Structure formats: C-alpha cells, structure tokens
Amino acid sequence: MSLRITLEFSDKDLEYFKRLTDEAMKTTQGQSPDQIIKNAKKLLGKMSEAVGSDYIQGRINQLKVLIDMLEDKGWGMKEVGRGRVLAALAYFINPEDIIPDDVPVLGYLDDAIMIELMTRELKPEIEAYADFVTYRASEAKRRGLDPTSLDRADFLEAREHALLARMRRRRRAGGSLFR
C-alpha cells in the first residue's frame, strides 16, 4: 500500500526556501565549487545508505543528475545554471537546515523537498542535458568514438542540421516557389 501526500507551497513558502538557499550559499562561500560537489557526494553516499524512503531515494537520484551536469566537461554547463545548481547543493550539504539530518526518518525530508523544488526550476536544463547524454551515447556508438570526445558544440551542430533538414523537407512537401 502506498500513501500519497500533496504539499502545496505558497509564494511566501517558496520565498522562504529561496532565502534558505541563499543563506546556505553564503555559508559555503569560502568553498570552491569542487569542494561543494565533493561534500555533496559524500553526503549523498551517507544518505543513500541511511534512507529507506522511495521518495527521498528518488530525490537522491535527481541530485546525482545535477552533480553529473556540473561535472560533465562535454556538457559545459553555463555559469547561471551552475550557480543555481551549486546553491541547491549548498543547501543540501548545510548541516543547519530546517530538519537536522540526524533526525531518524525525517532528517532528509527538507533536503528532498529542496531538491524537488530545484529540479523543477531546472527542468529545461535537465531535459536538455538528458537529450545531450542520449545524443552523445548514440553518436559515439555510430561513429565508433569514445563518448567523452563529443561535446555540447557537436550536439548543437547536430540539432542545427536536423532543424535545417526538417525545414527543407517541409518546404519541398509544401511546394515552395523558392527552392
């Protein structure tokens, strides 16, 4: 038997979480992005071992994708997106979050909620990254290359070629006067 609980956050609630993220980012300001990622991975490992909740485990998997986006040299995440993801990680690794992590059962619930909020906000970036990873794997296999040899520029070029080909097909199908 599963139980579905719906949480509704008002704009005021969301602003509160944003403030918490900003505060967490300030407390980690002395840390490099690499250090924030390293600390997040360390906490992820602990959390994965300690958590039995499918909901929280699902958020852990989302957090892994965010970390992959940051570390993937081929993806080359832009600064604005990097800052937003690092802010989420900063909250995640902050030991002084809403519910202390060592509280049994509930300790990671606020972290999971924050991860959910951040992944919803970063949904376009996450979807684009998933498309890139799929492209890179299939294109590398097709060409017999190491996937790490393909990067964002290759992906964007392939997307551009696909769009141009689609426009030409539509033009031909529509009986354009200008060929």
Side-chain angles (χ1 to χ4, degrees), residues 110-127:
D110 62 317
D111 299 286
I113 290 170
M114 181 59 77
I115 294 165
E116 181 68 29
L117 292 172
M118 289 306 294
T119 55
R120 285 180 182 212
E121 187 172 322
L122 294 165
K123 186 176 181 183
E125 289 93 337
I126 293 167
E127 288 174 348

Side-chain angles (χ1 to χ4, degrees), residues 118-178:
M118 289 306 294
T119 55
R120 285 180 182 212
E121 187 172 322
L122 294 165
K123 186 176 181 183
E125 289 93 337
I126 293 167
E127 288 174 348
Y129 179 66
D131 289 346
F132 167 70
V133 169
T134 300
Y135 157 80
R136 181 172 53 189
S138 66
E139 189 65 11
K141 184 177 179 182
R142 186 181 74 78
R143 292 190 200 175
L145 298 172
D146 176 8
T148 61
S149 68
L150 299 170
D151 62 18
R152 185 186 206 127
D154 298 311
F155 172 63
L156 294 174
E157 184 178 333
R159 297 287 295 245
E160 181 180 31
H161 286 291
L163 282 171
L164 291 172
R166 187 172 72 189
M167 287 182 342
R168 283 190 295 275
R169 281 192 310 275
R170 286 180 176 173
R171 194 175 300 128
R172 281 192 299 270
S176 174
L177 296 174
F178 307 105

Side-chain angles (χ1 to χ4, degrees), residues 19-32 36 39 87 89-97:
R19 217 173 28 258
L20 289 174
T21 303
D22 291 344
E23 289 171 17
M25 197 61 181
K26 285 177 191 166
T27 63
T28 59
Q29 232 166 10
Q31 295 181 24
S32 70
I36 292 172
N39 289 340
L89 294 181
Y91 178 83
F92 177 69
I93 64 174
N94 186 353
E96 298 174 19
D97 52 13

